[in-house]
Amino acid sequence: MKLNNTQKKILKAINRDIKMVFFVRQDLKMGKGKIGSQCGHASIGLYKKIIQNDKNNLLDDWELSGSKKIVLKVKSEKDFSDILKYCEYNNIIYHEVIDAGKTQIQKNSRTIISIINENKKIHNLIYKYKLL
């Protein structure tokens, strides 16, 4: 059976296995609502960066492959630094949320990092952390 162009595009997207991942700091003791709000900020910020810098159809392929999202626990700000270094070294698009300090946590606290890429490129980073 011969595939049409749309079917080929969907098959390629599924094979890329792209995930959006949220790393949530646990040491800040954010409530569920605060985490949800911060994840919203992280997803929108990441989405804007992807649109500006999407040379590899990352966004289209992510959407076609099911828009997978994972939320992981991070113990400390030091883990955040390690995640950012990994992203910069491996050219992974990320967005870091820094809180305004109006509700539960101190101003300028780094709360969440969101990333997006193919699983094969981020697996060595995400396997270290547990699901939230």
Side-chain angles (χ1 to χ4, degrees):
M1 179 170 129
K2 189 173 180 179
L3 300 175
N4 66 33
N5 286 340
T6 302
Q7 292 168 323
K8 288 178 187 176
K9 187 175 179 180
I10 291 170
L11 186 59
K12 177 183 166 256
I14 291 169
N15 288 334
R16 286 187 76 188
D17 190 23
I18 297 170
K19 291 181 177 126
M20 184 181 288
V21 183
F22 301 91
F23 297 93
V24 180
R25 275 184 59 190
Q26 297 298 287
D27 60 321
L28 295 174
K29 309 257 189 264
M30 293 181 282
K32 293 174 188 175
K34 182 69 170 178
I35 291 171
S37 175
Q38 296 296 291
C39 283
H41 291 311
S43 62
I44 292 168
L46 185 62
Y47 195 88
K48 287 178 179 179
K49 285 183 179 179
I50 296 166
I51 289 172
Q52 293 172 356
N53 191 20
D54 195 8
K55 298 176 184 100
N56 299 319
N57 294 325
L58 193 63
L59 187 58
D60 288 342
D61 288 353
W62 173 69
E63 289 173 338
L64 286 171
S65 66
S67 304
K68 297 173 200 150
K69 293 166 275 318
I70 300 171
V71 183
L72 302 173
K73 298 188 245 185
V74 174
K75 290 180 183 175
S76 68
E77 192 165 6
K78 186 209 176 295
D79 290 327
F80 261 36
S81 296
D82 294 342
I83 292 164
L84 293 174
K85 286 176 191 172
Y86 185 93
C87 291
E88 289 171 5
Y89 182 78
N90 291 286
N91 200 27
I92 295 170
I93 297 172
Y94 68 88
H95 180 74
E96 180 180 17
V97 178
I98 299 172
D99 195 69
K102 294 181 180 178
T103 57
Q104 295 180 11
I105 56 177
Q106 195 170 27
K107 184 177 181 177
N108 295 324
S109 295
R110 297 161 53 181
T111 59
I112 293 182
I113 296 173
S114 55
I115 68 171
I116 188 167
N117 216 302
E118 293 180 62
N119 188 51
K120 65 184 178 186
K121 196 167 182 181
I122 61 175
H123 175 75
N124 288 334
L125 175 63
I126 65 176
Y127 85 92
K128 301 173 189 178
Y129 303 99
K130 296 189 184 292
L131 292 172
L132 179 65

